[in-house]
Amino acid sequence: MTSADNHDYVLQLESISKFFGTVISLKDVTLRLRRGEVHCLLGDNGAGKSTLIKTLAGVHRPDRGRYLIEGREVNFKSPREALDRGIATVYQDLALVPLMSVARNFFAGREPTRKLFGVIPVMDMTYAADVSVRKLAEMGIHVRSPNQPVGTMSGGERQCLAIARAIHFGASVLILDEPTAALGVTQSCNVLKLIHTARERGISVIFITHNVHHAYPIGDSFTVLNRGRSMGTFSKSGISEGEVLEMMSGSAEIQGLIDELEGRATA
């Protein structure tokens, strides 16, 4: 790969491997994310998606291979270092506190402050309420009140809150861990619209899912994992939805087993 090619990518994993004792979690996986694209990472349970997410997010350090940001190799020692470089990860649990308000969740860990009596620093709730409501509205989410507990929001609205928060705080790369896994059709559509909005803003997105029907409409490129190994990366124009599904599901293997069993039954 030339230097010019490197500049096309905001993030790269080059031949990454990760081992846990004798368990091979990832083996020679390459993933390259272009600026302003939605790259879908697909795979069934146990394919290695969670390990890859945590490697991208700075939780795990790869045992082999290279991790590059803007063409330069990095070795993150913590998720905070990745976040400081604009790599924001929204996990399935969302890291939201149900009993806390929308505004407090939006600014959790990064609370804006003002001086009470000119001396005592306290959270500036007026500012937090205004910004959280405005930023959510920009992403198409209209909350009843910035003071409503997050626990009263739908699953889709919570996903949108977590994504909007990451975008507000300057994420250039957004990693979404199965954001539509537990959502209904309408809520899933809202999350997919939000991913589209992020792409329009120039944010690069890695969308992790096992649902091809959610990935294919929004994705620009696809990497398929199977048992810790990459089965390849494909552009949308280079692979059909059915082909992606077949690679993920191992339908060829299943059909082979069915044929074998039918052959035994008729023997």
Side-chain angles (χ1 to χ4, degrees), residues 204-216:
S204 303
V205 180
I206 297 178
F207 176 22
I208 296 95
T209 183
H210 63 271
N211 191 324
V212 178
H213 304 301
H214 290 169
Y216 201 80

Side-chain angles (χ1 to χ4, degrees), residues 55-62 67 69 74-83 85 87:
T55 301
L56 290 165
V59 176
H60 296 323
R61 299 181 70 181
Y67 185 176
I69 302 293
V74 296
N75 292 286
F76 295 138
K77 297 181 177 63
S78 70
R80 172 57 66 179
E81 290 187 9
L83 192 58
R85 291 294 300 270
I87 313 298

Side-chain angles (χ1 to χ4, degrees), residues 95-213:
L96 299 175
V97 183
L99 295 179
M100 283 173 48
S101 69
V102 169
R104 284 188 173 275
N105 270 283
F106 193 92
F107 283 95
R110 301 187 180 187
E111 291 81 0
T113 60
R114 62 182 178 85
K115 294 292 181 65
L116 185 63
F117 306 121
V119 178
I120 305 171
V122 296
M123 182 172 178
D124 190 338
M125 289 303 301
T126 301
Y127 174 83
D130 175 66
V131 170
S132 59
V133 169
R134 180 159 41 86
K135 293 299 179 180
L136 284 169
E138 288 176 6
M139 307 303 285
I141 303 299
H142 300 280
V143 296
R144 294 189 299 274
S145 166
N147 300 315
Q148 75 176 90
V150 161
T152 64
M153 301 173 73
S154 70
E157 288 172 334
R158 295 186 205 186
Q159 282 284 353
C160 293
L161 169 59
I163 294 170
R165 179 177 64 183
I167 293 172
H168 173 69
F169 286 108
S172 58
V173 173
L174 194 57
I175 303 169
L176 304 178
D177 177 18
E178 300 275 7
T180 61
L183 303 182
V185 175
T186 301
Q187 294 181 357
S188 295
C189 287
N190 289 337
V191 171
L192 295 179
K193 288 178 183 177
L194 196 55
I195 294 173
H196 176 71
T197 300
R199 174 172 55 193
E200 286 189 324
R201 295 186 174 198
I203 296 170
S204 303
V205 180
I206 297 178
F207 176 22
I208 296 95
T209 183
H210 63 271
N211 191 324
V212 178
H213 304 301

Side-chain angles (χ1 to χ4, degrees), residues 6-26:
N6 278 335
H7 292 158
D8 290 338
Y9 301 107
V10 66
L11 178 153
Q12 297 165 251
L13 296 182
E14 300 289 341
S15 299
I16 289 291
S17 295
K18 182 65 184 176
F19 311 103
F20 295 97
T22 59
V23 177
I24 302 173
S25 189
L26 295 173

